[in-house]
């Protein structure tokens, strides 16, 4: 059954993700489209990257790691299960694999590699990375039975494994770093995230209780959940802005229509070409 849209056409940051000084950490999988730059290291369950992706730090994968051709990793790659390394990949540190290693031609690993399982030197099929992406996203559109049958062919699941969680998805041609998260697609940030950097996207949706140390800028609509803190401006070129209850924007807001939830605060100036509506608390309604 066809997926309704390309799953790499959106930046998805799952709930609880943290961007720390040296690494982007999440409990689930990390899926990265081709020709993207991730200035952090990455820590997740399975880490999968398309061709020509650059990493600015270590990769730590509790499960599998799959890097397509021409990827560049600045430091170490540590893999808890199996690794699939495409041709002409460069790793600036060492590669350690607890399981099997499937490695392509002309791979440059500056500090050597070791694997506890089988080592096969060949060119792993690049399409397996994106096949895995589509399979994981079948879960998100409700095709659980189809996804389960197909995923079982790629991932060995043992009794007692943790249930699937939403993956961190970075779309093609994106730049993710401490200074900015730049994508030309919609962006969805789950609840309870702590991110550093200005977010630039087509549209932006931020879940409850997030802390964003940077500004938000979009062409279209921006929605900020309850209890969110935005340490910067919130602007949109052609869209509306919704700021949830008890949220705070420590900067300016510029938009078309603006909706402020109960106890929401904007520390800077407000520039709205359309309507401004403000929610009321239960006490005020009484």
């Amino acid at each position: 059954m066809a997926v309704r849209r390309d799953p790499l056409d959106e930046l998805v940051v799952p709930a609880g993700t943290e961007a720390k000084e040296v690494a982007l950490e999440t409990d689930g999988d990390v899926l990265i489209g081709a020709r993207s730059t991730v200035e952090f290291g990455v820590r997740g369950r399975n880490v999968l990257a398309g061709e020509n992706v650059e990493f600015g730090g270590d990769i730590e994968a509790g499960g599998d790691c799959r890097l397509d051709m021409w990827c560049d990793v600045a430091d170490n790659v540590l893999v808890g299960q199996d690794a699939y390394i495409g041709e002409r990949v460069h790793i600036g540190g060492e590669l350690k694999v607890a399981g099997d290693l499937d490695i392509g031609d002309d791979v440059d690993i500056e500090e050597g590699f070791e694997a506890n399982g089988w080592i096969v030197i060949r060119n792993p099929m690049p399409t397996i990375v994106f096949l895995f992406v589509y399979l994981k996203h079948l879960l998100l559109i409700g095709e659980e039975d189809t996804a389960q049958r197909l995923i079982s062919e790629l991932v060995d699941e043992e009794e007692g494994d943790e249930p699937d969680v939403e993956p961190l998805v970075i779309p093609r041609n994106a730049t993710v770093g401490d200074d900015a998260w730049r994508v030309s697609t919609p962006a969805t940030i789950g609840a309870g995230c702590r991110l550093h950097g200005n977010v630039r996207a087509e549209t932006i949706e931020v879940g409850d209780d997030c802390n964003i140390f940077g500004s938000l800028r979009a062409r279209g609509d921006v929605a900020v959940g309850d209890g969110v803190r935005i340490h910067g401006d919130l602007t949109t070129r052609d869209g509306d802005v919704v700021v949830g209850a008890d949220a705070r924007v420590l900067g300016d807001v510029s938009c078309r229509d603006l909706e402020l939830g109960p106890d929401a605060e904007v520390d800077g100036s407000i520039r709205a070409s359309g309507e401004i509506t403000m929610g009321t608390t239960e006490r005020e309604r009484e």
Side-chain angles (χ1 to χ4, degrees):
M1 180 174 292
V3 180
R4 289 178 297 181
R5 65 179 184 185
D6 188 337
L8 288 174
D9 277 348
E10 182 176 8
L11 171 66
V12 179
V13 182
T17 299
E18 292 190 37
K20 298 186 177 179
E21 292 183 0
V22 297
L24 184 60
E25 297 186 3
T26 183
D27 292 332
D29 297 341
V30 180
L31 314 176
I32 304 171
R35 298 174 298 281
S36 292
T37 299
V38 181
E39 297 174 2
F40 303 103
V42 172
R43 296 172 185 167
R45 185 170 54 183
N46 298 304
V47 177
L48 302 97
E51 65 181 37
N52 204 20
V53 174
E54 296 184 12
F55 295 87
D58 297 326
I59 294 177
E60 296 184 22
D64 293 348
C65 179
R66 303 172 187 262
L67 303 180
D68 208 340
M69 62 179 66
W70 298 105
C71 285
D72 191 311
V73 184
D75 294 311
N76 303 317
V77 177
L78 309 176
V79 185
Q81 295 181 13
D82 300 333
Y84 303 81
I85 310 298
E87 60 182 305
R88 296 180 177 84
V89 168
H90 170 259
I91 298 174
E94 60 181 345
L95 170 64
K96 289 188 175 182
V97 182
D100 298 336
L101 171 61
D102 201 345
I103 189 167
D105 295 332
D106 298 324
V107 173
D108 180 16
I109 305 172
E110 294 189 10
E111 298 184 15
F113 68 92
E114 62 180 74
N116 291 334
W118 292 98
I119 299 176
V120 179
I121 300 176
R122 61 179 181 180
N123 290 328
M125 186 182 300
T127 54
I128 197 168
V129 172
F130 296 103
L131 176 60
F132 195 90
V133 170
Y134 278 95
L135 292 174
K136 297 297 290 185
H137 275 265
L138 285 174
L139 295 171
L140 302 181
I141 64 172
E143 297 296 329
E144 296 179 358
D145 292 340
T146 303
Q148 188 61 48
R149 288 195 301 271
L150 296 177
I151 288 173
S152 63
E153 298 179 5
L154 295 177
V155 181
D156 292 329
E157 298 189 4
E158 300 178 357
E159 293 184 4
D161 281 354
E162 294 182 2
D164 286 301
V165 296
E166 187 176 27
L168 168 63
V169 180
I170 298 175
R172 300 178 184 88
N173 303 306
T175 299
V176 174
D178 195 55
D179 177 63
W181 297 53
R182 294 187 179 91
V183 300
S184 57
T185 66
T188 301
I189 300 172
C193 292
R194 181 182 178 89
L195 306 181
H196 289 260
N198 304 309
V199 180
R200 306 287 184 259
E202 186 68 25
T203 61
I204 302 174
E205 181 178 349
V206 181
D208 296 343
D209 300 316
C210 287
N211 226 332
I212 311 294
F213 293 90
S215 61
L216 303 182
R217 182 183 299 170
R219 292 179 180 270
D221 296 340
V222 178
V224 172
D226 297 344
V228 171
R229 295 294 180 268
I230 305 297
H231 299 259
D233 298 334
L234 196 166
T235 62
T236 173
R237 180 181 299 180
D238 301 313
D240 302 331
V241 168
V242 176
V243 180
D246 196 35
R248 185 177 180 183
V249 180
L250 286 80
D252 301 336
V253 173
S254 178
C255 61
R256 189 170 54 193
D257 294 340
L258 172 63
E259 179 182 337
L260 294 173
D263 296 324
E265 298 181 21
V266 177
D267 287 9
S269 61
I270 295 176
R271 295 183 292 274
S273 60
E275 297 182 350
I276 299 177
T277 59
M278 302 183 66
T280 58
T281 63
E282 292 184 4
R283 179 176 298 181
E284 290 173 334
R285 287 193 292 270
E286 290 175 356

